[in-house]
Amino acid sequence: MTRPTAKNPPRTFHVKSFGCQMNVYDGERMAEMLGAEGMTAVEEGLSADMVVLNTCHIREKAAEKVYSDIGRLRREDGTRPMIAVAGCVAQAEGPEITRRTKMVDIVVGPQAYHRLPELVGKAMRGEEALDTDMPAASKFGALPGRAKQPRPTAFLTVQEGCDKFCTYCVVPYTRGAEISRPWDAILDEAKALVDGGVKEITLLGQNVNAWVDDAGRGLHDLIRALDKIDGLARIRYTTSHPNDMADGLIAAHGDVEKLMPYLHLPVQSGSDPILKAMNRSHTRDSYLRLLDKVRAVRPDIALSGDFIVGFPGESEQDFEATMHLIREVGYAYAFSFKYSPRPGTPAADMTDQIAPEIMDARLKQLQAQIIADQLAFNQATVGKRCSVLIEKPGRKPGQLVGKSPWLQSVHVVAEGSRIGDMIEVDIVSAGPNSLAGEVVRRKAA
Ligand code: 5AD
Ligand code: SF4
């Protein structure tokens, strides 16, 4: 099988990211880094000289997908691109990957990808190119500055890793301990993004609201500093942990105008015994009280969550408690998953694993409720006037698609408006996944 050699270095690349938004961000940074090395991005893997599969290990299906994707990179003439497996599968499986398939040249973990160009060199020389170190010094300092973004919205990772050790989750093992990027580095990156035309920044972290710096500043201080950047119109953040939801952050939702009224706050289950077995360190009640506090300062906030059904030992009664919580909260959006045992996590060894058909039935019931709530939330915005940040063209001629403050997709016909414009819109109709709006007037961006 031919692939780039020392005489024939890769000139084009394709990065494919799976899983969470943090992987999307990492994928963009890897692309920017390879671009800075003189390589050119191409849209499609098979025709690229090099492919980076930026993988996710959170659930079994996500991890298995990597191997089928690798297989699909074999070309009809028997050749293939140089293949790098990055992300959390690389971290979790390491050398196991190159034992399982001969098609992988580079294995690089999420804390080591700043060394990707070096690893390409090694792979070309036929040396082992594996790096799953979790160095104390952050990779961020070794990355080139942000390139001009193609979109008006951008992710910015401010925090990584997790110290919470929920018993079902691989993240503390694949992403390592909680680290916060320094204040100045974050603000510099934000300013560079805004200078390049970005209007909305979403701060990212596995536990983004655990962000803290040496001076004891928290995420709300960072949000207040970003609020002062001229040209930046919207700030979002995700994903938060209920236990790190500081009063200062809640207060910011009440008075920072650029902070959008949307909060993703996973709860996973509505049953206290299950929350305890999950090591979530919050209860159903403490979670609901937290939401009350947020709603007190920002009554229109859109809430979203993550749910796992079929955690080991989950009884019918436990599941009912989750359904009850969902009905009580009225989520604007939610992600829901069947429990997937992950090797090395405590829950994988628990007895009372739940039968797949029970999980299927519970997931179906839960998702039906979520969709009904989502539709109700969207319908409640009909008749409201709000800003929409235009992100892309719509399917119909003249139509544009953007996001409302509550993160809903809004379809609108807006003559003379362009991607990146903030326009004011009256919401006229709603479905479960999007809204339709009519332009009020052009707003100076
Ligand atoms: N099985 C199912 N869902 C999981 N999640 C994390 N680990 C697992 C697992 N082993 C879900 C949680 C988390 C989201 C990112 O993925 O709901 O919040
Ligand atoms: Fe995983 Fe829990 Fe950490 Fe979230 S808080 S990344 S679910 S261990």
Side-chain angles (χ1 to χ4, degrees):
M1 214 171 256
T2 62
R3 55 176 178 74
T5 60
K7 275 186 252 137
N8 193 14
R11 294 214 185 91
T12 60
F13 69 93
H14 176 76
V15 179
K16 186 169 176 190
S17 289
F18 304 85
C20 66
Q21 289 151 322
M22 298 195 57
N23 256 16
V24 174
Y25 175 86
D26 288 343
E28 287 170 3
R29 299 302 308 258
M30 283 189 260
E32 288 169 5
M33 192 173 40
L34 296 173
E37 294 287 312
M39 291 170 68
T40 309
V42 292
E43 283 297 308
E44 196 255 333
L46 265 182
S47 59
D49 295 338
M50 176 186 177
V51 172
V52 180
L53 297 172
N54 189 23
T55 61
C56 172
H57 202 244
I58 198 102
R59 286 169 293 276
E60 192 176 354
K61 271 195 187 149
E64 277 306 311
K65 209 175 167 321
V66 180
Y67 291 98
S68 56
D69 265 64
I70 291 170
R72 274 201 288 276
L73 289 171
R74 189 176 285 120
R75 301 185 186 115
E76 274 178 14
D77 63 0
T79 63
R80 65 167 174 86
M82 176 183 276
I83 300 175
V85 174
C88 291
V89 173
Q91 191 64 39
E93 302 200 352
E96 192 53 39
I97 298 173
T98 42
R99 270 199 286 276
R100 189 165 156 179
T101 163
K102 291 279 163 281
M103 284 183 68
V104 170
D105 307 288
I106 297 169
V107 176
V108 60
Q111 303 308 347
Y113 68 71
H114 54 297
R115 293 200 282 255
L116 192 52
E118 225 174 289
L119 292 166
V120 171
K122 278 189 172 181
M124 286 197 310
R125 293 191 297 272
E127 295 165 22
E128 187 193 57
L130 172 118
D131 193 341
T132 51
D133 276 0
M134 292 203 182
S138 147
K139 67 192 169 232
F140 294 106
L143 295 171
R146 297 303 303 266
K148 188 168 163 33
Q149 299 297 301
R151 287 175 295 273
T153 59
F155 292 137
L156 200 176
T157 293
V158 302
Q159 183 280 341
E160 276 196 284
C162 181
D163 296 340
K164 307 288 191 290
F165 289 93
C166 297
T167 53
Y168 50 80
C169 187
V170 288
V171 166
Y173 311 95
T174 58
R175 288 271 173 174
E178 286 178 7
I179 62 126
S180 295
R181 287 181 69 191
W183 177 274
D184 287 344
I186 295 167
L187 287 179
D188 287 350
E189 190 171 329
K191 283 178 196 146
L193 288 168
V194 173
D195 285 347
V198 164
K199 299 268 177 61
E200 174 180 305
I201 291 181
T202 302
L203 304 175
L204 296 182
Q206 256 96 32
N207 284 287
V208 71
N209 58 342
W211 185 89
V212 63
D213 75 354
D214 294 340
R217 290 176 287 202
L219 188 68
H220 52 285
D221 297 307
L222 200 52
I223 288 170
R224 287 182 191 279
L226 289 169
D227 186 46
K228 297 202 183 83
I229 299 178
D230 283 339
L232 180 64
R234 291 175 160 191
I235 305 164
R236 302 182 185 275
Y237 63 94
T238 198
T239 288
S240 296
H241 191 284
N243 283 13
D244 293 319
M245 210 60 214
D247 286 343
L249 183 55
I250 295 175
H253 276 285
D255 61 14
V256 178
E257 213 190 309
K258 291 180 185 174
L259 182 58
M260 291 293 102
Y262 188 98
L263 175 62
H264 181 63
L265 199 63
V267 63
Q268 316 296 354
S269 166
S271 155
D272 282 341
I274 294 295
L275 289 171
K276 192 150 191 274
M278 287 176 163
N279 192 33
R280 284 292 295 180
S281 61
H282 60 77
T283 62
R284 167 198 182 90
D285 234 48
S286 66
Y287 177 81
L288 289 171
R289 277 202 311 273
L290 197 53
L291 297 189
D292 286 344
K293 276 165 84 176
V294 180
R295 278 178 162 153
V297 298
R298 189 74 214 222
D300 70 333
I301 196 144
L303 295 166
S304 84
D306 289 348
F307 294 90
I308 297 177
V309 299
F311 184 81
E314 185 188 68
S315 67
E316 212 37 64
Q317 207 185 345
D318 293 320
F319 176 65
E320 266 317 309
T322 300
M323 290 298 293
H324 187 251
L325 178 133
I326 290 173
R327 286 191 289 265
E328 199 169 331
V329 172
Y331 286 94
Y333 199 78
F335 301 87
S336 48
F337 314 100
K338 286 187 271 186
Y339 168 70
S340 166
R342 307 311 297 129
T345 60
D349 297 326
M350 288 179 185
T351 52
D352 294 339
Q353 299 283 330
I354 304 297
E357 53 283 8
I358 295 182
M359 284 206 225
D360 287 338
R362 288 180 184 167
L363 188 68
K364 211 168 149 200
Q365 194 184 334
L366 188 150
Q367 289 184 338
Q369 180 68 46
I370 296 282
I371 287 180
D373 291 347
Q374 212 168 293
L375 179 62
F377 182 87
N378 287 348
Q379 281 171 339
T381 47
V382 175
K384 282 191 186 174
R385 181 167 288 188
C386 64
S387 67
V388 169
L389 174 58
I390 303 294
E391 293 183 9
K392 58 182 183 188
R395 282 204 207 109
K396 296 185 195 144
Q399 194 187 49
L400 294 164
V401 187
K403 290 272 164 57
S404 76
W406 307 281
L407 206 59
Q408 298 143 301
S409 288
V410 183
H411 297 257
V412 60
V413 176
E415 297 289 320
S417 290
R418 285 175 313 182
I419 290 167
D421 285 350
M422 282 277 274
I423 58 175
E424 218 167 307
V425 162
D426 284 324
I427 304 301
V428 293
S429 68
N433 297 312
S434 66
L435 309 174
E438 283 172 3
V439 182
V440 179
R441 60 183 166 78
R442 277 293 286 284
K443 222 179 152 183

